[in-house]
Structure formats: C-alpha cells, structure tokens
C-alpha cells in the first residue's frame, strides 16, 4: 500500500548546476492509489476537482465542513456568525422544534398505504396457516442478523478468500483485531467493512446491547460449535460472524504481458467483493441445543442388531 506523502520539490542552486544562473526545480512524484486514498479518508485530486465542478456538490461540501467545524475554522466564520445573529434579532427568538404526531409520522410511517397492505397480507397468511408460524418465521422474530456487502476491491479471489476464511465464526471484535495486525494488503479494507457492519448492526438492529439492556446470563453457558470448538458465553447478544464469503466482480482493466520471442499475453486485473452475515450468540446456543436434542432422541447405539440379512452376495466384495 503506497504511503500518502506530499509531493516534494528539490531546488538545486545555480552554483552546483551546469545550467545558467536560474534555479532548477526537480519534482519527485509520489504514486497515489485511489483505494488507499478512499480508505484513509481523502480522495485524489482529480476526484476532488470533479466534485467541486458541480455547484450543488460544492455547496453541500461547504455546509458539511461548517457543521463539522462549527464555522470557526473558515475565513468567513465571523461574517457567518454576524449574519446569523442579525437574522435572529430581526426575526426574534427562533422557535424550538416541537415533536408532534404529524412531524414524527414522516419518519416513523413514511408510506401508510404500503404499511396497511403489508399488514393485510400478513393477516391473510396467518389465517391461511391457522395462525401457526413456521420455524423460520419464529427464528426471525426472536433472533437478529445483518447482511453486509462491500464494494468491489482491487484484488483477486485467491487472495481475499484467505481473509474470509480467517474471520469466519469469530466474534466481530476478534475479527477486527485479526485484520488490524494482518500483513495482507486488503486486511485494512476488510477491517473497514467489518467496523461498518458492526456499527450498522448496533444502530439498525439493536444487536450486541445485552450488557446495556441487562440481558447477560447469570451463569456462563458452555457450548460446542459445529467446528468442534468449545465456547463459554456470558452475553447471548454478542455479535459474531456467522458466514463470510467473496464474489467475483468485473475486470478492472487489461494490460499487455510481454514474453520472449516477440510474443505477448493479456493480464486481466480482477475485482472481488466481500460479504458477511452477523448474528448473535443466542443463535449458536439454539443450534447447540437442537443438536443435543437430536442426539438424545436417537437412543443407545447397538453394535450388532438382531435383524435378518438380505441381498447376500455369493462372491467376495473385493
């Protein structure tokens, strides 16, 4: 991953230069990568120039910067504060926004007709099934999950699949720590999307809030995963990575590969996406209990049951 180092200019004095008495400027250009620029929070100069060409984008950028800094770091901060104060004195005290049913309806119920149609559809399904819910419906009502997919990353399938296998089945915090100290180039990108998925799961689905809501277990529960590993769980709402896989994306470009004897080949630059499914530990607890129930239902194993033998062969099986 290339470093973000500013362009340096070296000035060579005229005494050491064989040229005239003018100063010669040598420019050392540092390579910048669009993916590293986007990951470290700053886009390249060409992208910024394209964004600033649009007046609406420029206005939005200025408003966002004013909100982030409070208008103090701008050179027009004093004028903005003075204009706001004059507007406030002219119009009197600015009324505080009140929360009413009409104002909150736009957020809580943006499309009432669609909500009524969805409720009618669900009532019809319940009546048709006699009010019985399927196992998948009961699980969705009691257990939460989140699917998060990344953008297409500039790497191949063979390279990204190793990181996807490394974090599968781990708690989200442990997976982020693994990507933090990994030497792979795309580990930084995977860590960024894991943090984004964790924040979305907490903010949108309310996952991982067992310690805040008092949903922790009085006694830690010890379970065995499908991989044969024993886990001790004290918080059933802890987020873990249930599944992680990759997907092939479009080719980013082609390049000629020069070979011997005047022959050439084509190098295709791939792109790959990264997808994870986040679930809570209560899902693994339920799966462990189901496996134990199936094992207990089988009964004792009989080594040689007393049953008749059919289809005997008159020849050896080897």
């Amino acid at each position: 991953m290339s470093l973000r180092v500013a362009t340096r200019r070296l000035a060579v004095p005229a005494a050491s230069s064989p040229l005239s008495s003018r100063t010669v400027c040598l420019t050392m250009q540092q390579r910048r990568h669009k993916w590293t620029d986007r990951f470290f929070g700053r886009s390249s100069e060409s992208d910024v120039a394209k964004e600033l060409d649009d007046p609406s984008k420029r206005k939005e950028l200025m408003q966002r910067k004013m909100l982030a800094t409070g208008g103090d770091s701008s050179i027009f901060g004093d004028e903005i504060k003075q204009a706001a104060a004059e507007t406030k004195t002219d119009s009197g005290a600015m009324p505080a926004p009140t929360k009413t049913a009409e104002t909150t309806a736009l957020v809580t119920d943006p499309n009432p007709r669609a909500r009524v149609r969805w409720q009618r559809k669900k009532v019809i399904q319940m009546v048709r099934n006699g009010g019985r819910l399927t196992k998948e419906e009961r699980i969705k009502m009691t257990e939460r999950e989140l699917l998060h997919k990344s953008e297409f990353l500039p790497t191949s399938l063979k390279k990204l699949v190793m990181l996807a296998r490394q974090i599968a089945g781990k708690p989200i915090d442990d997976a982020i720590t693994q990507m933090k100290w990994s030497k792979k180039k795309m580990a930084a990108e995977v860590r960024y999307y894991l943090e984004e998925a964790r924040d979305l799961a907490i903010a949108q689905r309310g996952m991982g809030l067992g310690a805040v809501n008092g949903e922790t277990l009085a006694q830690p529960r010890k379970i065995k995963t499908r991989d044969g590993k024993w886990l001790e769980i004290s918080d059933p709402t802890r987020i873990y990575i249930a599944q992680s896989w990759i997907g092939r994306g479009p080719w980013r470009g082609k390049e000629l590969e020069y070979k011997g004897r005047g022959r050439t080949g084509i190098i295709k630059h791939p792109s790959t996406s990264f997808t994870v499914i986040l679930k809570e530990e209560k899902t693994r607890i339920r799966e462990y209990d189901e496996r134990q129930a199936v094992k207990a239902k089988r009964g004792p194993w009989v080594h040689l049951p007393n049953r008749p033998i059919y289809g005997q062969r008159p020849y050896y099986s080897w």
Side-chain angles (χ1 to χ4, degrees), residues 163-169 241-246 274-277:
L163 298 178
R165 291 175 180 175
Q166 182 180 355
I167 64 176
I241 301 175
Q243 300 178 32
S244 64
W245 68 89
I246 60 175
F274 172 74
T275 310
V276 292
I277 293 182

Side-chain angles (χ1 to χ4, degrees), residues 84-135:
E86 293 177 357
T87 307
K88 188 174 181 180
T89 53
D90 295 340
S91 60
M94 299 179 65
T98 57
K99 185 180 293 186
T100 61
E102 291 78 7
T103 57
T104 56
L106 297 176
V107 179
T108 59
D109 194 7
N111 195 348
R113 297 181 61 184
R115 176 181 55 80
V116 171
R117 286 197 303 267
W118 181 81
Q119 291 177 349
R120 186 184 298 114
K121 177 182 176 182
K122 292 302 176 182
V123 169
I124 293 173
Q125 289 179 358
M126 292 179 63
V127 172
R128 184 179 302 166
N129 299 332
R132 296 184 300 271
L133 299 176
T134 61
K135 181 181 178 180

Side-chain angles (χ1 to χ4, degrees), residues 85-253:
E86 293 177 357
T87 307
K88 188 174 181 180
T89 53
D90 295 340
S91 60
M94 299 179 65
T98 57
K99 185 180 293 186
T100 61
E102 291 78 7
T103 57
T104 56
L106 297 176
V107 179
T108 59
D109 194 7
N111 195 348
R113 297 181 61 184
R115 176 181 55 80
V116 171
R117 286 197 303 267
W118 181 81
Q119 291 177 349
R120 186 184 298 114
K121 177 182 176 182
K122 292 302 176 182
V123 169
I124 293 173
Q125 289 179 358
M126 292 179 63
V127 172
R128 184 179 302 166
N129 299 332
R132 296 184 300 271
L133 299 176
T134 61
K135 181 181 178 180
E136 291 76 12
E137 292 175 348
R138 290 197 303 269
I139 291 175
K140 288 183 178 180
M141 292 176 62
T142 56
E143 299 174 7
R144 292 165 289 196
E145 65 178 40
L146 177 75
L147 185 144
H148 189 63
K149 181 179 178 181
S150 69
E151 298 177 358
F152 290 112
L153 306 176
T155 184
S156 63
L157 296 171
K158 292 183 179 180
K159 296 177 182 178
L160 195 59
V161 72
M162 299 302 176
L163 298 178
R165 291 175 180 175
Q166 182 180 355
I167 64 176
K170 287 185 172 59
I172 187 66
D173 296 332
D174 295 349
I176 292 174
T177 305
Q178 290 285 334
M179 294 298 101
K180 179 180 179 180
W181 301 106
S182 177
K183 296 182 180 180
K184 300 294 183 180
K185 180 180 178 181
M186 285 295 113
E189 294 285 344
V190 174
R191 176 192 172 192
Y192 170 79
Y193 285 108
L194 287 179
E195 292 176 350
E196 188 177 33
R198 178 195 59 188
D199 298 341
L200 289 175
I202 296 174
Q204 294 182 358
R205 308 296 170 86
M207 301 168 61
L209 300 177
V212 178
N213 299 331
E215 300 178 5
T216 56
L217 300 177
Q219 294 293 334
R221 181 77 183 276
K222 196 172 184 179
I223 65 172
K224 189 176 183 179
T225 61
R226 293 183 179 272
D227 302 335
K229 299 179 181 179
W230 287 93
L231 296 177
E232 188 172 337
I233 299 174
S234 58
D235 185 6
T237 63
R238 187 179 65 174
I239 304 174
Y240 77 99
I241 301 175
Q243 300 178 32
S244 64
W245 68 89
I246 60 175
R248 188 189 300 273
W251 300 108
R252 294 182 291 116

